[in-house]
Every structure is written in C-alpha cells, then in structure tokens.
Amino acid sequence: MLMILIAWSSIFLSAILTPSKYLWALVTTQGFVIALSSISWILLQDFLFSDSIFFMDKISGPLAILTCWLFPLTMLASQSKMRFEPIGRQRSYIINSTFLQLTTLLAFTASDLMLFFIFFEASLLPTMIIITRWGIQERRLEAGLFLAFYTMLGAVPLMIWLTKFYASHGSLAPVFTHAMHITHAETSCPGLFWATCNAAFLVKLPLYGLHLWLPKAHVEAPIAGSMILAGTLLKLGGYGILRAALLIQETSLNRMFFVMIVAILGILATAILCLRQTDLKSLIAMSSISHMNLVIAAALMGSPWSYSGAMVMMIAHGLTSSALFCLANTSYERTNSRTMVLLRGMLVVLPLAGAWWLTISLFNMATPVTINFMGEMLIMITFYEWSPAAFMLVAANLVFTTAYTLYMLWATQRGPFPKHIKTVFPYLTREHLLLLLHILPCFLVILKPEIVLFI
C-alpha cells in the first residue's frame, strides 16, 4: 500500500518538472497507469489487507478503487479550460488535485479512526482551494465559506467522541475493536448521541437540512471539483457512518426514528425540487442529495442487505453523477450557459452526444440491470422488511427520479435549436473517451457484482 501512495506522490514531480507542451498528456497517462496498477493490487488482495497504518476490507476497498479511477478522469475533463491559464497555475492545479487525491485515498485506507478523521478533514483544504480559486462564478468565495463552516462545525463532536473513546479503550483500529467486540457504552439518549457523533458524516453526505453548502459548491466548482465532490468526497460521509456503526451499539441505531424520517423526507423533497430547477448543475447536485439521503436511510437500518445496498448506491452514484457533470460541462463549454432552456435542441446538432445523455440518464433513473437498480433494489427490500409504510414513501422516489431525469433529458436534447447559438463544435475524442471510461466500470460491475457486494 505504501508503494501505491509513493506512486501517486510521483505526480507531484511530474507536475513540477514536465515541460509545458507535454504536461497534461504525461500527467493523465501517468494517472491512468497508477490507477490501473492500484486497482489491480487491491483486487489481488481480495479487499483484505491490514497493517499498522493501512486497513482495507469490503467497505473501504470499492471506494478506494473509485477514488483511484476518478483522478485521471478529472485530468481528462479539466484540460479544455485549464490549457488557457498560465503554466504556473496549471501546475498548481494539478498539484492541488493530486493532494486531494492522496488525502481521500488515505482516508479510505487508514487503519485507525483518528487517522481517518485527520485525512477526512484534510480533504477540506484542497477542495476549498479548487472551488475558490478555479470556480466559475463570482460567488465561489461564498460557496467555499459554506463548505468550510458546515464541515468544521460538524467535526467538533466527532473529534471529542473519538478522543474519549481512545482514552477509554486505548485503540481506534477497526480490526481491534471488532475482534474484541468493543462498542460505546449505552447512553440515556442514544438517538441524540448517534446523530451528534455522526454530524460530520451527515454534513458531508449530506443529510437534508444540512445540505445547503452542496448546491453552492457544485454550481461554483470547476468540472474537476464537481466530479471529485460527487464521486468521492460525499462518499467519505457514507464510509464514516458505516465504519463508526461498528462502535455504536445496535440498539441505539434502532432508536434513530427522527433521523430516518428526515432522511426519507429528504429523499422525496430534493427529488421534487429537481423538477423546478433551471440550472443544469444545480439539478444534478440536488439529485445527489436525494441519492445520498437514501444511503443514510440504508445505513440506519443496519442490516447486511442495507449495507450492501448503500455500498452499491455509493459506487453507482459516484460514476453516474460524475458522468452527468461531465455532460453538463461539455454543454457549458459550447454555449457558456447552464440554463436548460438555453441548451435545448442539442440532439439536432450533436446526435452522438444525445446517445451519451440517454445512456447515462438510464443509469441515473435506475433502469433494471444497471448497478443503480441493484443498489436501490437491495435498499427497497430492506425498507419493506422494516416498514411497509416507509417502503411506500421511498418507492415514490422512483417516480420522481424518473420524472426529473426525463425532464433533464428532454430540456437539454429536444425542442427547437436556440437561434442565438451560431456555432457548436462537435464532441472531441477526449470527451467521448471520458464518458466511455465512466460507463465502462458500470457495465463491469453489472457482470461482476461481488466486487461491491458483501452479503
């Protein structure tokens, strides 16, 4: 594992020393080579690896693979805009993205929960720099402030709990606590205790009501920032909830009715809000909140099937949502607008792009046989066993998800072509490759689902 981290760190040297003419080609190629090597090593370990510093199992392994795979894709997506900046800023952008990649990967593979917390919070710094420095609009500073305050305020009770737990038991390693059956002592208000300790993760996912920073961050972020936010940073919250659940007694999870209600209402409310969005990136960001609240609800139920459903949902959302942001970015680069009424009629001039929109939309609305469908089906089955009434509420989300996905597809692809757009250059080979490399892992997981399942 240390060799993998050293390999990723070598991108720092490439970003500094490579001649400007070959900078993006070399960094992207190097990223793909290291990503494929890292994924091969993780698969050879069969998601079972542990030493004094690093730890990997069926929960962290698939998310580490997702993190490795998305980095070279962000380099592919960023080239069109970043090439016009001075070479010093291009190098600093790559260095900052590499640092974010390392902190995220270390968070997913840390052997100790305190180390995980440190890298979890360390990922905030490069994310803020990407949004506030390379953001698109003038409100990027406000988006950075929202992200910082929400994340830091949610982290305080988690840090206190981790410190107290370590002082009481002398270890925060998942291997040790699981083997010794160590859990936190029962409290008089277990529901409040669970919500307080997991506040940092609920903010990161985010839970409905703690989500106001996410649409701002997505709308203001450059394409790489949106891809990493949707692909891996939101998954840090889900991973933290699944990992911390081992230390909290099972009885306290059964008393989380209030948080469960908020999550279920968040699933429905954000899906309905998507139907009245005019900004394309804002719609995709709100759909991310809906999917992540489904992950929170699945984690609260605490069964092997719901955990598997949450894991599949996180992997599927990481790939699908990142691909949707790439499609939104390609439209923005051609029209300089994200307003959907100004993007209509693209199917007439870009039919192959319309095929990509249709394919990724089918994944987003969980069409049968896709991995999104597999994740939602596992969660729905668990919901039905837990409460048929809750199942009916969550099942309504399938209708709203289909509605806003078709609304997005229809608003951007159908209708008369806008007269104010004089020329639209066709999709580049790089953009087709970028979208193909998002969809290919989805098909591979369909053929080999045991990669992300642990039931």
Side-chain angles (χ1 to χ4, degrees):
M1 188 68 198
L2 190 59
M3 289 301 297
I4 291 177
L5 294 174
I6 293 173
W8 282 111
S9 301
S10 66
I11 299 179
F12 289 123
L13 293 176
S14 300
I16 295 171
L17 302 176
T18 305
S20 57
K21 183 178 179 180
Y22 307 105
L23 177 62
W24 287 98
L26 180 64
V27 168
T28 305
T29 305
Q30 186 179 0
F32 275 115
V33 170
I34 298 172
L36 290 172
S37 303
S38 304
I39 293 170
S40 301
W41 181 85
I42 294 172
L43 292 175
L44 285 174
Q45 299 295 319
D46 196 25
F47 302 118
L48 292 173
F49 179 80
S50 179
D51 60 20
S52 58
I53 302 176
F54 304 107
F55 171 76
M56 191 176 299
D57 60 359
K58 278 290 198 176
I59 300 177
S60 58
L63 294 172
I65 289 176
L66 179 65
T67 305
C68 293
W69 185 243
L70 281 180
F71 174 79
L73 299 186
T74 60
M75 293 295 103
L76 266 181
S78 302
Q79 294 181 23
S80 56
K81 286 292 184 183
M82 291 304 300
R83 284 181 183 274
F84 298 107
E85 295 213 4
I87 187 62
R89 294 179 184 174
Q90 294 183 37
R91 296 184 192 277
S92 61
Y93 179 85
I94 295 171
I95 290 171
N96 193 73
S97 298
T98 307
F99 180 60
L100 177 56
Q101 161 75 8
L102 281 172
T103 54
T104 310
L105 189 59
L106 284 166
F108 283 131
T109 57
S111 65
D112 189 277
L113 282 179
M114 185 60 78
L115 280 176
F116 162 71
F117 173 75
I118 292 170
F119 293 122
F120 174 86
E121 291 300 316
S123 64
L124 171 66
L125 181 61
T127 307
M128 275 194 62
I129 294 174
I130 286 178
I131 293 174
T132 55
R133 171 59 189 84
W134 286 283
I136 299 171
Q137 297 177 353
E138 65 277 1
R139 300 187 68 181
R140 58 185 183 270
L141 295 178
E142 180 184 345
L145 285 174
F146 266 65
L147 172 62
F149 277 103
Y150 270 84
T151 305
M152 293 172 66
L153 288 175
V156 173
L158 176 63
M159 181 178 63
I160 295 172
W161 175 61
L162 290 175
T163 306
K164 184 179 184 301
F165 192 93
Y166 182 81
S168 303
H169 300 94
S171 176
L172 282 167
V175 175
F176 174 76
T177 54
H178 185 63
M180 301 299 292
H181 302 286
I182 296 176
T183 58
H184 198 277
E186 183 71 24
T187 61
S188 57
C189 299
L192 180 62
F193 172 76
W194 188 94
T196 304
C197 293
N198 287 278
F201 307 136
L202 296 175
V203 166
K204 185 69 81 172
L205 268 166
L207 179 69
Y208 184 73
L210 303 174
H211 70 285
L212 296 180
W213 64 271
L214 185 62
K216 288 181 178 293
H218 270 308
V219 168
E220 303 299 329
I223 177 58
S226 294
M227 290 173 66
I228 295 173
L229 264 174
T232 57
L233 291 183
L234 300 187
K235 311 306 176 291
L236 283 172
Y239 173 74
I241 289 178
L242 296 180
R243 186 63 73 200
L246 299 173
L247 302 181
I248 302 176
Q249 287 194 359
E250 196 69 27
T251 53
S252 56
L253 291 179
N254 294 331
R255 301 175 192 174
M256 290 304 300
F257 187 71
F258 174 74
V259 179
M260 177 68 83
I261 290 296
V262 173
I264 292 173
L265 292 178
I267 294 168
L268 298 173
T270 48
I272 295 171
L273 282 173
C274 287
L275 291 170
R276 60 188 303 271
Q277 296 298 315
T278 57
D279 187 291
L280 183 56
K281 285 187 76 173
S282 181
L283 187 152
I284 302 170
M286 296 300 287
S287 72
S288 297
I289 299 171
S290 178
H291 286 106
M292 290 300 100
N293 275 267
L294 191 59
V295 171
I296 294 172
L300 284 171
M301 286 184 284
S303 71
W305 278 48
S306 66
Y307 280 179
S308 289
M311 179 59 62
V312 175
M313 178 63 70
M314 286 193 288
I315 299 298
H317 175 266
L319 294 167
T320 306
S321 185
S322 178
L324 284 173
F325 278 116
C326 290
L327 285 171
N329 183 64
T330 55
S331 298
Y332 177 76
E333 289 177 353
R334 286 158 176 79
T335 61
N336 289 319
S337 175
R338 295 190 307 267
T339 305
M340 286 187 286
V341 72
L342 301 178
L343 301 177
R344 66 188 188 276
M346 286 296 172
L347 188 62
V348 177
V349 289
L350 298 172
L352 190 54
W356 285 121
W357 273 100
L358 177 61
T359 304
I360 296 169
S361 296
L362 289 174
F363 274 91
N364 188 63
M365 67 174 105
T367 307
V369 312
T370 61
I371 56 172
N372 308 61
F373 174 78
M374 187 196 326
E376 290 197 7
M377 183 58 66
L378 288 169
I379 296 174
M380 291 297 176
I381 291 171
T382 314
F383 258 114
Y384 185 77
E385 293 178 352
W386 178 67
S387 169
F391 166 78
M392 294 301 295
L393 283 173
V394 178
N397 176 61
L398 301 177
V399 178
F400 295 126
T401 301
T402 304
Y404 73 69
T405 304
L406 292 176
Y407 161 64
M408 175 182 65
L409 183 65
W410 191 272
T412 57
Q413 300 303 303
R414 305 291 295 180
F417 188 72
K419 295 180 180 180
H420 69 279
I421 299 178
K422 304 301 181 184
T423 58
V424 175
F425 56 91
Y427 268 43
L428 306 174
T429 305
R430 173 182 58 82
E431 292 168 332
H432 287 300
L433 179 63
L434 174 64
L435 295 168
L436 177 65
L437 292 176
H438 275 98
I439 294 301
L440 227 92
C442 296
F443 285 111
L444 291 176
V445 175
I446 292 171
L447 298 174
K448 196 175 176 60
E450 58 268 21
I451 294 175
V452 293
L453 291 173
F454 51 91
I455 55 177

